[in-house]
Amino acid sequence: MGILSLITGRPGSSGFGSSSTAEQVTQGIDASHLTVIITGGAAGIGLETARVLALRGAHVIIGARNMEAANEAKQLILDKDKTARVDVLKLDLCSFSSIREFVQNFNALDLPLNILINNAGIMFCPYQLSQEGIEMQFATNHLGHFLLTNLLLDTMKNTAKATGIEGRIVNLSSIAHQYTYRGGIRFKKINNKSGYSDKMAYGQSKLANILHANELSRQFQEEGLNITANSVHPGLIMTNLFKYSAFLMKFLKFFSFFLWKNVPQGAATTCYVALHPSLKGVSGKYFVDCNAVTPSSLATDQVLAKKLWDFSNNLIASISKA
């Protein structure tokens, strides 16, 4: 998808493009047999994704740190569709204990799990450490989702096997994955304040999202599982993600207004990859404007993906033992 397609909204091979909305790309799809978890579904494109999936009949579980906002989001969805099935559970991706508690609470609902959308994230924040002492953007955008996904995998595998319905994992990445540190991931300096760049740290975490999805896909295919894993770039949308650089982003938007999407358009690619029947069996891909494109060379590096997988597992294990 080139710059002309982005500006004009001209559809790609999927039949959809940058101007397509979440409702348009899911039109006519019956998701009433599906259960979905979406992180960060209380605001922005996460909320729109949750709303549209619920509109299509899915049982949506919103994981959110701010429960007041999550309950308001639930009510907003119900106000527009009284038949919607929506539940909210507390989830702080910066806290391993919160992630484990979320999974326990979800398991207590005794529900299947067909779709996991790793949507939540933070962007361009000043240097700070998570509760476990991990650089905040890497902790929130990648490591928290990595742990959450691992803890939910057995439920997804059992659901796919019992129902015969393909499971899908969708990681929200960004075109910013191309702007990262030398070598992609600062494995030996992941928490170092020295050399920290809020922009490159964000790019690092978004690169990690793609590598995570690719390694999941490789493992699923190796195990013969009926689950796919893909990553998406939702596009440029002015949401709360820009709270640390709102002035800069508004300035840039003034000069690049034709590149920006509204929230319904921003949620389209996530909803497309999560629900569309044309993507059955499609895995390990990176989607922009509802079409598969080739990401950076680092993002397609299988060795780097496996190294990140092992690093993430070892980091979580070392912290959990402490």
Side-chain angles (χ1 to χ4, degrees), residues 31-32 34-37 53-54 57-61 85-87 109 111:
S32 59
L34 302 175
T35 301
V36 181
I37 288 177
L53 295 184
H59 185 175
V60 178
I61 313 297
R85 294 179 293 161
V86 184
D87 288 298
L109 297 175
L111 292 170

Side-chain angles (χ1 to χ4, degrees), residues 2-9 17-21 45 123-124 174-175 199 202 233-243 245-267 289:
I3 189 70
L4 183 61
S5 296
L6 180 61
I7 296 171
T8 63
S18 62
S19 65
S20 300
T21 67
I45 61 174
M123 186 181 199
F124 300 165
S174 169
I175 195 171
K199 308 300 187 297
Y202 179 71
H233 166 54
L236 293 172
I237 309 103
M238 188 63 73
T239 69
N240 289 338
L241 268 182
F242 290 108
K243 66 181 181 179
S245 53
F247 178 79
L248 172 62
M249 291 302 108
K250 288 178 181 178
F251 177 78
L252 292 176
K253 187 176 182 180
F254 179 80
F255 292 101
S256 59
F257 63 92
F258 50 83
L259 298 177
W260 292 72
K261 296 182 178 183
N262 58 38
V263 169
Q265 292 169 339
D289 299 334

Side-chain angles (χ1 to χ4, degrees), residues 176-204:
H177 79 273
Q178 300 179 47
Y179 182 69
T180 183
Y181 298 108
R182 180 186 292 269
I185 311 290
R186 297 204 308 174
F187 290 109
K188 294 182 179 180
K189 301 180 179 180
I190 202 69
N191 300 323
N192 284 20
K193 187 173 184 179
S194 174
Y196 176 80
S197 160
D198 58 350
K199 308 300 187 297
M200 285 192 285
Y202 179 71
Q204 172 181 248

Side-chain angles (χ1 to χ4, degrees), residues 40-263:
I45 61 174
L47 171 54
E48 177 67 1
T49 300
R51 184 190 71 80
V52 171
L53 295 184
L55 178 67
R56 302 305 176 214
H59 185 175
V60 178
I61 313 297
I62 294 174
R65 181 172 52 185
N66 185 331
M67 289 300 289
E68 181 179 354
N71 282 306
E72 289 176 357
K74 175 181 177 179
Q75 190 58 51
L76 185 150
I77 294 172
L78 291 173
D79 287 344
K80 295 185 177 182
D81 178 8
K82 297 189 186 308
T83 66
R85 294 179 293 161
V86 184
D87 288 298
V88 298
L89 294 174
K90 186 172 179 58
L91 172 63
D92 183 352
L93 289 162
C94 294
S95 165
F96 289 178
S97 60
S98 177
I99 294 168
R100 292 189 170 99
E101 184 177 0
F102 171 88
V103 173
Q104 290 175 354
N105 290 335
F106 173 74
N107 289 339
L109 297 175
D110 196 26
L111 292 170
L113 179 57
N114 306 98
I115 300 170
L116 171 61
I117 301 176
N118 291 319
N119 165 84
I122 57 174
M123 186 181 199
F124 300 165
C125 64
Y127 177 82
Q128 54 188 302
L129 298 178
S130 71
Q131 183 174 310
E132 277 80 21
I134 307 298
E135 187 276 308
M136 190 65 79
Q137 294 192 80
F138 187 81
T140 304
N141 298 347
H142 167 66
L143 200 62
H145 282 125
F146 181 89
L147 176 59
L148 176 68
T149 302
N150 280 357
L151 293 176
L152 291 169
L153 272 182
D154 282 346
T155 301
M156 290 200 74
K157 291 177 182 179
N158 291 337
T159 298
K161 184 176 181 180
T163 63
I165 300 170
E166 179 182 82
R168 295 188 181 185
I169 296 174
V170 184
N171 281 1
L172 263 74
S173 181
S174 169
I175 195 171
H177 79 273
Q178 300 179 47
Y179 182 69
T180 183
Y181 298 108
R182 180 186 292 269
I185 311 290
R186 297 204 308 174
F187 290 109
K188 294 182 179 180
K189 301 180 179 180
I190 202 69
N191 300 323
N192 284 20
K193 187 173 184 179
S194 174
Y196 176 80
S197 160
D198 58 350
K199 308 300 187 297
M200 285 192 285
Y202 179 71
Q204 172 181 248
S205 70
K206 295 291 99 180
L207 172 62
N209 293 149
I210 300 177
L211 294 171
H212 177 215
N214 290 351
E215 178 61 17
L216 279 170
S217 177
R218 186 195 68 77
Q219 292 184 20
F220 292 159
Q221 291 173 9
E222 188 176 83
E223 296 177 43
L225 298 175
N226 189 24
I227 306 175
T228 64
N230 293 290
S231 50
V232 307
H233 166 54
L236 293 172
I237 309 103
M238 188 63 73
T239 69
N240 289 338
L241 268 182
F242 290 108
K243 66 181 181 179
Y244 292 108
S245 53
F247 178 79
L248 172 62
M249 291 302 108
K250 288 178 181 178
F251 177 78
L252 292 176
K253 187 176 182 180
F254 179 80
F255 292 101
S256 59
F257 63 92
F258 50 83
L259 298 177
W260 292 72
K261 296 182 178 183
N262 58 38
V263 169

